[in-house]
Amino acid sequence: LILSLLLAAGLASAADPVTDAMQKAYAPYRVALYKTNGKSQEECQQAIAQAQEHWNQITAQFGASRPAPYDRDPAFAGSLAEVNKVYAKAAEEIGKNQLKEAHETLEHAREVMSEMRRRNQVIVFSDHMNAYHAQMERVVIDGAKTLAEPNGMLQLTAQAGALEYLAARLKSEAPAEYASNEEFSALCKAIDKSVADLKAALFAQDAAKVNEAIGKIKGPYSKMFSKFG
């Protein structure tokens, strides 16, 4: 059901068949990443099987020959194989009911796909989601530690400023079918609010409220990623 909703939401059309195929394969990948944050081993197994099936189709179709701009990328085949390795490892971990480990393993596939596009000067909406995610993780993971450092409140305020900028990019760089989607707009507002709440706590120099706001940053992003990321 989640995969059907993801596909129904629409995918931004790219300028080449390889990127289009990767975007379609990204939908089941997001489901697998989302499911490994849960507790159902069976659902995770179904999700990773779907992700593997879609990526295998890309490998079969473009592994030996691919169109521009990927036709001059000497690392293309290696990246295809790397994603397959990530999926195989995650499937093995899911089989052992190591869902947290599988989730961390699957994160690497996102990095490989992003790097494939970067090398070939291809930008899609997922890249803006990834940029926000990287900064968000910096705030969420290191926020409390940063806060405890000298001038920590000021340092974290600077990090929040970067997060605010990247949140704005999610709206400005959204494909037309997302921008006109009510659910997408609502999720953008939720992300904006989570960042605004963090800024307000930082400006008030209230450490307790800052930590509370940090704890609420990831939820809105995760919801957007699972549907539109």
Side-chain angles (χ1 to χ4, degrees):
L1 176 59
I2 291 178
L3 178 56
S4 298
L5 290 172
L6 284 167
L7 294 173
L11 294 167
S13 179
D16 68 88
V18 175
T19 304
D20 282 343
M22 287 175 62
Q23 287 294 91
K24 291 177 182 177
Y26 204 59
Y29 164 72
R30 295 202 308 268
V31 174
L33 201 60
Y34 177 80
K35 289 295 184 181
T36 49
N37 252 336
K39 298 180 180 180
S40 173
Q41 182 183 22
E42 182 180 355
E43 290 182 357
C44 290
Q45 288 175 320
Q46 293 172 353
I48 193 63
Q50 286 281 330
Q52 287 177 305
E53 179 182 348
H54 279 73
W55 198 256
N56 286 338
Q57 290 174 3
I58 292 178
T59 302
Q61 185 175 359
F62 301 111
S65 177
R66 66 271 187 189
Y70 299 91
D71 55 334
R72 297 184 180 182
D73 182 3
F76 183 81
S79 293
L80 290 182
E82 181 65 19
V83 174
N84 277 322
K85 289 179 182 178
V86 169
Y87 286 169
K89 182 180 178 183
E92 182 180 350
E93 289 167 338
I94 291 169
K96 297 177 182 177
N97 206 26
Q98 298 172 344
L99 305 189
K100 183 178 180 180
E101 290 80 358
H103 182 84
E104 294 300 318
T105 296
L106 285 171
E107 288 280 7
H108 181 53
R110 170 164 45 189
E111 297 167 0
V112 176
M113 295 179 209
S114 178
E115 175 59 19
M116 288 174 71
R117 294 190 297 269
R118 188 202 64 78
R119 285 198 311 265
N120 295 283
Q121 300 181 339
V122 175
I123 299 174
V124 297
F125 181 68
S126 295
D127 295 310
H128 300 291
M129 289 290 291
N130 291 343
Y132 181 90
H133 175 266
Q135 181 63 17
M136 178 193 72
E137 290 284 88
R138 187 174 183 181
V139 171
V140 170
I141 294 173
D142 299 329
K145 179 181 176 181
T146 300
L147 201 59
E149 295 175 353
N151 295 318
M153 195 75 72
L154 293 176
Q155 292 183 55
L156 199 54
T157 300
Q159 296 298 333
L163 199 61
E164 183 180 40
Y165 169 78
L166 293 170
R169 297 281 289 179
L170 297 180
K171 296 188 290 292
S172 67
E173 302 305 313
E177 61 265 36
Y178 287 5
S180 61
N181 185 293
E182 291 184 3
E183 183 179 4
F184 178 81
S185 297
L187 290 170
C188 281
K189 289 179 181 178
I191 287 176
D192 288 345
K193 184 180 184 305
S194 70
V195 177
D197 288 347
L198 174 59
K199 281 185 60 183
L202 286 163
F203 287 177
Q205 298 189 27
D206 188 325
K209 287 187 177 180
V210 169
N211 284 316
E212 181 182 354
I214 288 173
K216 296 179 180 179
I217 289 286
K218 193 170 184 177
Y221 171 84
S222 297
K223 290 178 181 178
M224 179 181 282
F225 178 81
S226 68
K227 183 70 177 287
F228 299 100

